[in-house]
Amino acid sequence: MKARVAIPVFPGTNSEEETLRILRDVGLDAEIVHWSRGDRLFQYDAFVLPGGFAYEDRVRAGAIAAHDRMMDAVVDAAIGGKLVLGLCNGAQMLLEAGLVPGTGAIRRPTAAFTHNGPDGKFVCRHVFVKLSVAPERSPITAALAPGALIPAWAAHGEGRLAAPPEHLQEIVDGGHLAFVYTHANGSTDADAIPNQSALGAAALVNVEGNVLAIMPHPERDAWTFNHPDSPEGRAARGNAERMLRPSGGAALFESFAKGLALV
Amino acid sequence: MPLFKVRGESSGALQSAARRAGLALREDELRRIAEELGRDPTLVEVYAFDAQWSEHCSYKSSRRHLRKLPTSGPTVVLGPGQDSGIVHLGEHAGERYGVVVAHESHNHPSQVVPFEGAATGIGGIVRDVLCMGAEVIGVADPLRFGNVDEADSHQRYVATTVVDGIAAYGNAIGVPNLAGDVFFDEGFNENCLVNVVAFGLVKESQIIHSKAPPGSAGWDVVLVGKATDASGFGGASFSSLALDAEDAEANKGAVQVPDPFLKNVIMRASYRVFEYLRERNITAGFKDLGAGGIMGCTAELCAAGGFGAIVDLDDVSTAQAGLPPFVIAIGETQERLAWVLPPEATPDVLRIYNEEFSLPNVARGACAAVIGAVQTEPRYVMRSGNEVVMDVPIDFLTGTIHDELTYEIEAPRTRDDGEAFLSGFDVAETFERVLAHRDVASREPLYREYDAVVRGTTVLPRGCAAAGVIAPIPGSTLGLAVSVAGNPRYGRCSARYAAEAAVVEAVNRIVCVGARPTGLTDCLNFGNPQRTEHFSQFVAAVDGLAEAASVLQVPFVSGNVSLYNESKGGGAVPASPIVGALGTIDDVSRVVTPAFKRDGAALYYIGRARTAIGGSVVAGVLGVEDRLPPLDLEEQARIVTAMLAAIDDGLIAAAHPVTSGGILTAVAAMGFATLRSRPMGAALDDPSPWCGSESATVEAFFAEGHGIVVEATSEDRFLQTMQEQGAPASRIGEVSARAELHLLSADFQAYARFPLDRLHDAWSAPLREVYG
């Protein structure tokens, strides 16, 4: 039977529709699950936690949602080896829930995505992220090329990875640093990082590799019409059908779909 | 119920009582109310009329002039009159889609408490679009701030905090910021302008109107949203008063408190209600609560359908006990809307809001609840406790009232004896100063605080092109382009010219991304209309908008008037007619971007070359005066037609309108757009052959002549199209693979090369200092 993917919606979530569209466009059987129907979440085979401001980002982004009843289903799934992908606010939730990097106890986070440097302001900026673990480190990235570059939009106020030094070391040593921010050519420096994130981190993966938390939004640069001046965009000029195809950031979701077929 | 004594009061006593009560109503208006009612009004009534008869709600002095605006045409689905206008976007899968657009100002609140004022501006305009049954798909924010040079000035605080407020609200509700502009001018030191535009998507067969439907007598009036509190009392009248530093503190009570978290949930719950009503084929009325609170909204909702209403204030969920009835009735607590629903649908709608979307758990006291009923008798009645606290003829409350104010024909404050001034100036140094000018420099430090891409529909995000573009319908390449314009440097010279130029610029911006203009929306920001000087500017601006829109054949579908933008010291804002434009791209695979595409391709300037630099950035930078460049509307209309024809035939590879900074700045912007991929520049020819002057070549590069710079794909066919459409076009140079601008004039051989990255640095730096 085809795997079913849930997109849980918390009060304050705002990116569920585009997340649903890209998952369906890469061939997945995905559904939005509203918080009033949270008990149904236990029926799903995989989870994609969408972006937004769940519970108004009170305390810290993702902190309240991490303790929500809906998150119990996600924690169970993660421990059970199901695939879980968190996008932006969803990524923040996964760190707050202790699932990523997953070196501590559940709901005892060892790291957080927190207020952007230098000034704490929300930043909306186009970025590239580079796969910085071996693709097979995670089923979610397994179909990507080594060092794959994925375009995405950073759009967050709390996306800077922060952790005590020993936990940062753990992230490096344990191969948790899944994606780092880079320029379009794959090089990186301070200018490539939109938020002063520690290690230049854009995404982290858990110990087992089945849970990935990514701060920027590949789903907002996931169709050719999102990037008309890119090589794919120029090639699609005058071709409506081609303009509507997934490309760019869609690569991560295509890899997620292939990974889902593996587990 | 306490009465407000009018009858038998002396003029002096009445005026001072009105002043003490914080009323903006004038003595003659108070006497008219008492006469019509045949008694002294209650306190609720007097505050109700104060709100409804404010300029903000009644357009009492502006309405008769606004009638001059063209408001019909084949693209108009719904013209001005309801909460928003609607223009036709296109068809997809057998459905006709419309774009809902509303435009408002939140100037006064933003000057007093910038964060909350700006945030609630976005919150309010989004509700205006939502209540038409639409999904909210974007916002735009034309902003005007004072001089922000001093780091610790109030102007700087306003300019940065307004942006924080817009970002905090728009980002949280998940609506992308698609377009906007910002100007800095001393004239806005004491009165910033925060105009907000919102866009929605609706199937034209599923529009919900802001009125009680036919046959709705006896139906429920349902209030949805935040618990009513004491915030926002007196907002409508507040916005119709001149600002005064002394009053600013007292006026803070009139500003509403935003709650984007709750709004996010209300929006999604309302989408669910739309679906529920469609499934059952139920026609309902839906309206946003804005000025005048519960009273203003429910009275207008029912009056629009030809009905009266009875509202029971005891049924309103309040945040605190003991609020006086007039505060509950008139206060402008945010995040509220009202439905008129058939009683059989009410329980399900309440369940969707209160249980499925659990409003009471999202914010304390938030809910949907029945608070009254539509009635046949054309009276607006409010009860509180066992008393009737308001009972007035509904049409007298909401109907048209007029103030006939005097105005004169505006005399433009410009020189007519302009001549070439600039031949002695150093082009290199001037160019960098123009790019670094506050009206030209990159806006990125400001707009990067706004989410431009949520919803995943963005094609050209803010700052990427002259207009924002989205593909709002999943599975369709139908595109919506949106832009704003309104140049205060022109407003200082001539309100009429500023208005015409705003229409032309907004439309040019739309055309440059390959969209067909379909509709306009305006916000008219002026000083106190009781002063002939200001009202004359207002009238001149409306005349200008009307003429430009008529000639360009793009109708106005919505708008707003914001008068009294002045402080009691007497300083009014520069005349600020601000225009937004919408356009359709039938297929976004044919969207035009500003980035240069091909080495060696020809660059053309479409439009008449100008050398007059009045009102331009370069005139300000160099401290010279000149006449305004002539604005030939008929010719602008031909430019639009010619551009659209050339784009249809695939003859335009890149385009950018000439606005602040002139042709050289537009060319630079087209180069900057290549910097993230493969950098390309341009080589520009000596302008004397095309500008018609040997001595004014520098002016030609910097004049702001309302034309468009394009990269042509095929020169012969391009020129033929321009000629057929009667649009002037001059070859100004070529695209080059070198990342520089190269000016080939013999006159300035010595400093003819500008590396693009250096220009980009000059352009990028200035606002970083303000916005961090």
Side-chain angles (χ1 to χ4, degrees), chain B residues 631-679:
Chain B
L631 182 49
D632 179 343
L633 293 172
E634 303 284 348
E635 187 160 276
Q636 295 298 144
R638 291 193 294 274
I639 291 171
V640 169
T641 317
M643 268 295 283
L644 292 174
I647 289 169
D648 263 356
D649 290 343
L651 302 174
I652 307 288
H656 202 66
V658 172
T659 63
S660 294
I663 287 178
L664 217 44
T665 297
V667 171
M670 296 170 83
F672 296 160
T674 66
L675 286 179
R676 285 184 60 91
S677 47
R678 187 163 58 100

Short mmCIF file of all heavy atoms in Angstrom, two decimals, chain B residues 631-679:
data_model
loop_
_atom_site.label_atom_id
_atom_site.label_comp_id
_atom_site.label_asym_id
_atom_site.label_seq_id
_atom_site.Cartn_x
_atom_site.Cartn_y
_atom_site.Cartn_z
N LEU B 631 4.48 65.45 -19.36
CA LEU B 631 3.85 64.13 -19.23
C LEU B 631 2.70 64.08 -20.21
O LEU B 631 1.66 64.68 -19.99
CB LEU B 631 3.38 63.94 -17.79
CG LEU B 631 2.74 62.61 -17.41
CD1 LEU B 631 3.59 61.43 -17.87
CD2 LEU B 631 2.58 62.53 -15.90
N ASP B 632 2.91 63.38 -21.32
CA ASP B 632 1.91 63.29 -22.38
C ASP B 632 1.15 61.98 -22.21
O ASP B 632 1.65 60.91 -22.56
CB ASP B 632 2.65 63.36 -23.73
CG ASP B 632 1.70 63.25 -24.91
OD1 ASP B 632 0.54 62.80 -24.73
OD2 ASP B 632 2.13 63.59 -26.03
N LEU B 633 -0.04 62.06 -21.66
CA LEU B 633 -0.78 60.84 -21.32
C LEU B 633 -1.14 60.03 -22.56
O LEU B 633 -1.11 58.79 -22.52
CB LEU B 633 -2.04 61.20 -20.52
CG LEU B 633 -1.77 61.78 -19.13
CD1 LEU B 633 -3.07 62.27 -18.50
CD2 LEU B 633 -1.09 60.76 -18.22
N GLU B 634 -1.49 60.72 -23.63
CA GLU B 634 -1.83 59.99 -24.86
C GLU B 634 -0.62 59.16 -25.31
O GLU B 634 -0.76 58.01 -25.72
CB GLU B 634 -2.23 60.96 -25.99
CG GLU B 634 -3.39 61.90 -25.64
CD GLU B 634 -4.74 61.20 -25.68
OE1 GLU B 634 -4.80 60.07 -26.18
OE2 GLU B 634 -5.73 61.80 -25.18
N GLU B 635 0.54 59.77 -25.23
CA GLU B 635 1.74 59.05 -25.65
C GLU B 635 2.03 57.88 -24.70
O GLU B 635 2.45 56.81 -25.12
CB GLU B 635 2.93 60.00 -25.71
CG GLU B 635 4.16 59.34 -26.30
CD GLU B 635 5.15 60.39 -26.80
OE1 GLU B 635 4.98 60.86 -27.93
OE2 GLU B 635 6.05 60.75 -26.02
N GLN B 636 1.79 58.12 -23.39
CA GLN B 636 2.00 57.03 -22.42
C GLN B 636 1.09 55.85 -22.74
O GLN B 636 1.49 54.70 -22.60
CB GLN B 636 1.76 57.52 -20.99
CG GLN B 636 2.74 58.57 -20.50
CD GLN B 636 4.19 58.13 -20.43
OE1 GLN B 636 5.10 58.90 -20.70
NE2 GLN B 636 4.41 56.86 -20.08
N ALA B 637 -0.13 56.15 -23.17
CA ALA B 637 -1.05 55.07 -23.52
C ALA B 637 -0.51 54.29 -24.71
O ALA B 637 -0.61 53.06 -24.75
CB ALA B 637 -2.44 55.64 -23.83
N ARG B 638 0.08 55.00 -25.67
CA ARG B 638 0.66 54.30 -26.83
C ARG B 638 1.87 53.46 -26.42
O ARG B 638 2.09 52.37 -26.95
CB ARG B 638 1.05 55.31 -27.92
CG ARG B 638 -0.17 55.97 -28.59
CD ARG B 638 0.23 56.71 -29.86
NE ARG B 638 1.10 57.85 -29.62
CZ ARG B 638 0.68 59.08 -29.32
NH1 ARG B 638 -0.62 59.33 -29.21
NH2 ARG B 638 1.53 60.06 -29.11
N ILE B 639 2.63 53.95 -25.44
CA ILE B 639 3.79 53.19 -24.95
C ILE B 639 3.32 51.86 -24.34
O ILE B 639 3.90 50.80 -24.58
CB ILE B 639 4.59 54.02 -23.91
CG1 ILE B 639 5.27 55.19 -24.62
CG2 ILE B 639 5.60 53.15 -23.17
CD1 ILE B 639 5.91 56.20 -23.66
N VAL B 640 2.24 51.95 -23.57
CA VAL B 640 1.71 50.74 -22.93
C VAL B 640 1.27 49.74 -24.00
O VAL B 640 1.63 48.55 -23.95
CB VAL B 640 0.53 51.09 -21.99
CG1 VAL B 640 -0.20 49.84 -21.54
CG2 VAL B 640 1.03 51.89 -20.79
N THR B 641 0.51 50.22 -24.97
CA THR B 641 0.02 49.33 -26.03
C THR B 641 1.19 48.73 -26.81
O THR B 641 1.20 47.53 -27.12
CB THR B 641 -0.87 50.13 -27.01
OG1 THR B 641 -1.72 50.97 -26.25
CG2 THR B 641 -1.71 49.21 -27.87
N ALA B 642 2.17 49.57 -27.11
CA ALA B 642 3.32 49.10 -27.89
C ALA B 642 4.11 48.05 -27.11
O ALA B 642 4.53 47.03 -27.65
CB ALA B 642 4.22 50.28 -28.25
N MET B 643 4.31 48.31 -25.81
CA MET B 643 5.04 47.35 -24.97
C MET B 643 4.31 46.00 -24.97
O MET B 643 4.94 44.95 -25.12
CB MET B 643 5.10 47.86 -23.53
CG MET B 643 6.31 48.69 -23.16
SD MET B 643 7.85 47.77 -23.22
CE MET B 643 7.79 46.82 -21.70
N LEU B 644 3.00 46.04 -24.77
CA LEU B 644 2.26 44.78 -24.67
C LEU B 644 2.31 44.02 -25.99
O LEU B 644 2.46 42.80 -26.01
CB LEU B 644 0.81 45.06 -24.24
CG LEU B 644 0.67 45.58 -22.80
CD1 LEU B 644 -0.78 45.95 -22.51
CD2 LEU B 644 1.16 44.54 -21.79
N ALA B 645 2.23 44.78 -27.10
CA ALA B 645 2.31 44.12 -28.41
C ALA B 645 3.69 43.50 -28.60
O ALA B 645 3.82 42.36 -29.06
CB ALA B 645 2.01 45.13 -29.52
N ALA B 646 4.74 44.24 -28.23
CA ALA B 646 6.10 43.73 -28.41
C ALA B 646 6.35 42.51 -27.51
O ALA B 646 7.00 41.55 -27.92
CB ALA B 646 7.10 44.83 -28.08
N ILE B 647 5.80 42.53 -26.30
CA ILE B 647 5.98 41.40 -25.39
C ILE B 647 5.25 40.17 -25.94
O ILE B 647 5.77 39.06 -25.95
CB ILE B 647 5.50 41.76 -23.97
CG1 ILE B 647 6.48 42.76 -23.34
CG2 ILE B 647 5.39 40.50 -23.10
CD1 ILE B 647 5.99 43.39 -22.05
N ASP B 648 4.04 40.40 -26.45
CA ASP B 648 3.27 39.31 -27.05
C ASP B 648 4.04 38.63 -28.16
O ASP B 648 3.97 37.42 -28.33
CB ASP B 648 1.97 39.86 -27.65
CG ASP B 648 0.81 39.71 -26.70
OD1 ASP B 648 1.02 39.12 -25.62
OD2 ASP B 648 -0.29 40.18 -27.02
N ASP B 649 4.77 39.43 -28.92
CA ASP B 649 5.52 38.89 -30.05
C ASP B 649 6.91 38.41 -29.64
O ASP B 649 7.73 38.11 -30.51
CB ASP B 649 5.64 39.95 -31.16
CG ASP B 649 4.30 40.20 -31.83
OD1 ASP B 649 3.39 39.34 -31.67
OD2 ASP B 649 4.14 41.23 -32.51
N GLY B 650 7.18 38.41 -28.34
CA GLY B 650 8.47 37.90 -27.86
C GLY B 650 9.64 38.81 -28.21
O GLY B 650 10.77 38.35 -28.35
N LEU B 651 9.38 40.11 -28.34
CA LEU B 651 10.44 41.02 -28.77
C LEU B 651 11.17 41.69 -27.62
O LEU B 651 12.12 42.43 -27.82
CB LEU B 651 9.84 42.10 -29.69
CG LEU B 651 9.13 41.55 -30.93
CD1 LEU B 651 8.44 42.66 -31.70
CD2 LEU B 651 10.14 40.82 -31.82
N ILE B 652 10.67 41.46 -26.39
CA ILE B 652 11.28 42.11 -25.22
C ILE B 652 11.92 41.04 -24.34
O ILE B 652 11.23 40.17 -23.81
CB ILE B 652 10.21 42.86 -24.39
CG1 ILE B 652 9.40 43.84 -25.26
CG2 ILE B 652 10.85 43.56 -23.20
CD1 ILE B 652 10.15 45.06 -25.70
N ALA B 653 13.24 41.15 -24.16
CA ALA B 653 13.94 40.16 -23.33
C ALA B 653 14.04 40.62 -21.89
O ALA B 653 14.14 39.81 -20.97
CB ALA B 653 15.34 39.92 -23.89
N ALA B 654 14.04 41.93 -21.68
CA ALA B 654 14.15 42.49 -20.34
C ALA B 654 13.57 43.90 -20.37
O ALA B 654 13.62 44.56 -21.41
CB ALA B 654 15.61 42.54 -19.90
N ALA B 655 13.03 44.36 -19.25
CA ALA B 655 12.45 45.71 -19.23
C ALA B 655 12.50 46.28 -17.83
O ALA B 655 12.44 45.55 -16.84
CB ALA B 655 11.00 45.66 -19.72
N HIS B 656 12.62 47.59 -17.77
CA HIS B 656 12.57 48.28 -16.48
C HIS B 656 12.06 49.70 -16.69
O HIS B 656 12.51 50.38 -17.61
CB HIS B 656 13.95 48.32 -15.82
CG HIS B 656 13.88 48.50 -14.34
ND1 HIS B 656 13.33 47.57 -13.49
CD2 HIS B 656 14.25 49.53 -13.56
CE1 HIS B 656 13.40 48.01 -12.25
NE2 HIS B 656 13.94 49.20 -12.26
N PRO B 657 11.11 50.17 -15.87
CA PRO B 657 10.60 51.52 -16.06
C PRO B 657 11.61 52.56 -15.58
O PRO B 657 12.40 52.30 -14.67
CB PRO B 657 9.35 51.54 -15.17
CG PRO B 657 9.63 50.54 -14.11
CD PRO B 657 10.48 49.49 -14.74
N VAL B 658 11.55 53.72 -16.19
CA VAL B 658 12.39 54.84 -15.74
C VAL B 658 11.61 55.59 -14.66
O VAL B 658 10.57 56.17 -14.92
CB VAL B 658 12.74 55.76 -16.92
CG1 VAL B 658 13.44 57.01 -16.42
CG2 VAL B 658 13.63 55.00 -17.89
N THR B 659 12.13 55.53 -13.44
CA THR B 659 11.48 56.23 -12.31
C THR B 659 12.56 57.06 -11.63
O THR B 659 13.42 57.62 -12.32
CB THR B 659 10.82 55.22 -11.35
OG1 THR B 659 11.84 54.39 -10.78
CG2 THR B 659 9.81 54.34 -12.08
N SER B 660 12.53 57.11 -10.30
CA SER B 660 13.51 57.93 -9.58
C SER B 660 14.93 57.57 -10.00
O SER B 660 15.32 56.40 -9.94
CB SER B 660 13.38 57.71 -8.07
OG SER B 660 12.12 58.19 -7.64
N GLY B 661 15.70 58.58 -10.43
CA GLY B 661 17.08 58.34 -10.84
C GLY B 661 17.28 58.34 -12.34
O GLY B 661 18.41 58.49 -12.81
N GLY B 662 16.22 58.15 -13.11
CA GLY B 662 16.33 58.29 -14.56
C GLY B 662 16.84 57.05 -15.29
O GLY B 662 16.93 55.96 -14.72
N ILE B 663 17.17 57.26 -16.56
CA ILE B 663 17.53 56.15 -17.45
C ILE B 663 18.75 55.39 -16.95
O ILE B 663 18.78 54.16 -16.93
CB ILE B 663 17.79 56.68 -18.88
CG1 ILE B 663 16.47 57.08 -19.54
CG2 ILE B 663 18.52 55.65 -19.73
CD1 ILE B 663 16.62 57.66 -20.93
N LEU B 664 19.77 56.12 -16.50
CA LEU B 664 21.01 55.45 -16.07
C LEU B 664 20.74 54.53 -14.89
O LEU B 664 21.29 53.43 -14.80
CB LEU B 664 22.04 56.53 -15.71
CG LEU B 664 23.50 56.26 -16.07
CD1 LEU B 664 23.67 55.70 -17.46
CD2 LEU B 664 24.30 57.55 -15.90
N THR B 665 19.87 54.99 -14.00
CA THR B 665 19.53 54.17 -12.83
C THR B 665 18.75 52.93 -13.26
O THR B 665 18.98 51.83 -12.74
CB THR B 665 18.72 55.00 -11.83
OG1 THR B 665 19.56 56.08 -11.37
CG2 THR B 665 18.27 54.18 -10.64
N ALA B 666 17.85 53.09 -14.23
CA ALA B 666 17.09 51.93 -14.71
C ALA B 666 18.02 50.91 -15.35
O ALA B 666 17.88 49.70 -15.11
CB ALA B 666 16.03 52.40 -15.72
N VAL B 667 18.98 51.38 -16.14
CA VAL B 667 19.94 50.47 -16.77
C VAL B 667 20.76 49.75 -15.70
O VAL B 667 20.99 48.54 -15.77
CB VAL B 667 20.84 51.23 -17.76
CG1 VAL B 667 21.97 50.34 -18.26
CG2 VAL B 667 20.02 51.76 -18.94
N ALA B 668 21.16 50.51 -14.68
CA ALA B 668 21.93 49.90 -13.59
C ALA B 668 21.11 48.81 -12.91
O ALA B 668 21.62 47.72 -12.61
CB ALA B 668 22.36 50.96 -12.58
N ALA B 669 19.83 49.07 -12.69
CA ALA B 669 18.97 48.09 -12.02
C ALA B 669 18.90 46.80 -12.84
O ALA B 669 18.86 45.70 -12.29
CB ALA B 669 17.57 48.67 -11.81
N MET B 670 18.89 46.94 -14.18
CA MET B 670 18.84 45.75 -15.03
C MET B 670 20.15 44.97 -14.92
O MET B 670 20.15 43.74 -14.98
CB MET B 670 18.56 46.17 -16.48
CG MET B 670 17.19 46.83 -16.62
SD MET B 670 16.91 47.60 -18.25
CE MET B 670 16.40 46.18 -19.21
N GLY B 671 21.23 45.70 -14.72
CA GLY B 671 22.51 45.02 -14.48
C GLY B 671 22.55 44.37 -13.11
O GLY B 671 22.98 43.22 -12.97
N PHE B 672 22.09 45.09 -12.09
CA PHE B 672 22.08 44.52 -10.72
C PHE B 672 21.31 43.20 -10.69
O PHE B 672 21.66 42.29 -9.95
CB PHE B 672 21.45 45.50 -9.72
CG PHE B 672 22.21 46.79 -9.54
CD1 PHE B 672 21.57 47.92 -9.01
CD2 PHE B 672 23.55 46.89 -9.89
CE1 PHE B 672 22.25 49.11 -8.84
CE2 PHE B 672 24.25 48.08 -9.72
CZ PHE B 672 23.59 49.20 -9.19
N ALA B 673 20.26 43.12 -11.50
CA ALA B 673 19.43 41.91 -11.49
C ALA B 673 20.18 40.69 -12.01
O ALA B 673 19.72 39.57 -11.83
CB ALA B 673 18.16 42.14 -12.33
N THR B 674 21.34 40.91 -12.66
CA THR B 674 22.11 39.77 -13.15
C THR B 674 23.17 39.33 -12.15
O THR B 674 23.80 38.29 -12.34
CB THR B 674 22.86 40.11 -14.46
OG1 THR B 674 23.86 41.11 -14.16
CG2 THR B 674 21.92 40.63 -15.53
N LEU B 675 23.37 40.09 -11.09
CA LEU B 675 24.53 39.86 -10.23
C LEU B 675 24.50 38.52 -9.50
O LEU B 675 25.54 37.99 -9.14
CB LEU B 675 24.70 41.01 -9.23
CG LEU B 675 25.23 42.32 -9.82
CD1 LEU B 675 25.34 43.39 -8.76
CD2 LEU B 675 26.59 42.09 -10.48
N ARG B 676 23.32 37.98 -9.28
CA ARG B 676 23.26 36.71 -8.56
C ARG B 676 23.51 35.51 -9.47
O ARG B 676 23.70 34.40 -8.99
CB ARG B 676 21.92 36.56 -7.86
CG ARG B 676 21.81 37.42 -6.61
CD ARG B 676 20.50 37.15 -5.90
NE ARG B 676 20.39 35.75 -5.49
CZ ARG B 676 20.79 35.29 -4.32
NH1 ARG B 676 21.31 36.10 -3.44
NH2 ARG B 676 20.66 34.02 -4.01
N SER B 677 23.46 35.73 -10.78
CA SER B 677 23.76 34.60 -11.67
C SER B 677 24.98 34.93 -12.53
O SER B 677 26.11 34.86 -12.06
CB SER B 677 22.54 34.26 -12.51
OG SER B 677 21.99 35.42 -13.09
N ARG B 678 24.76 35.31 -13.77
CA ARG B 678 25.89 35.65 -14.63
C ARG B 678 25.89 37.15 -14.85
O ARG B 678 25.04 37.67 -15.59
CB ARG B 678 25.73 34.91 -15.97
CG ARG B 678 26.92 35.04 -16.91
CD ARG B 678 26.86 33.96 -17.99
NE ARG B 678 25.62 34.04 -18.76
CZ ARG B 678 25.53 34.60 -19.97
NH1 ARG B 678 26.59 35.15 -20.53
NH2 ARG B 678 24.39 34.62 -20.62
N PRO B 679 26.79 37.88 -14.21
CA PRO B 679 26.74 39.34 -14.27
C PRO B 679 26.91 39.87 -15.69
O PRO B 679 27.78 39.41 -16.43
CB PRO B 679 27.93 39.76 -13.39
CG PRO B 679 28.17 38.61 -12.49
CD PRO B 679 27.84 37.39 -13.29
#
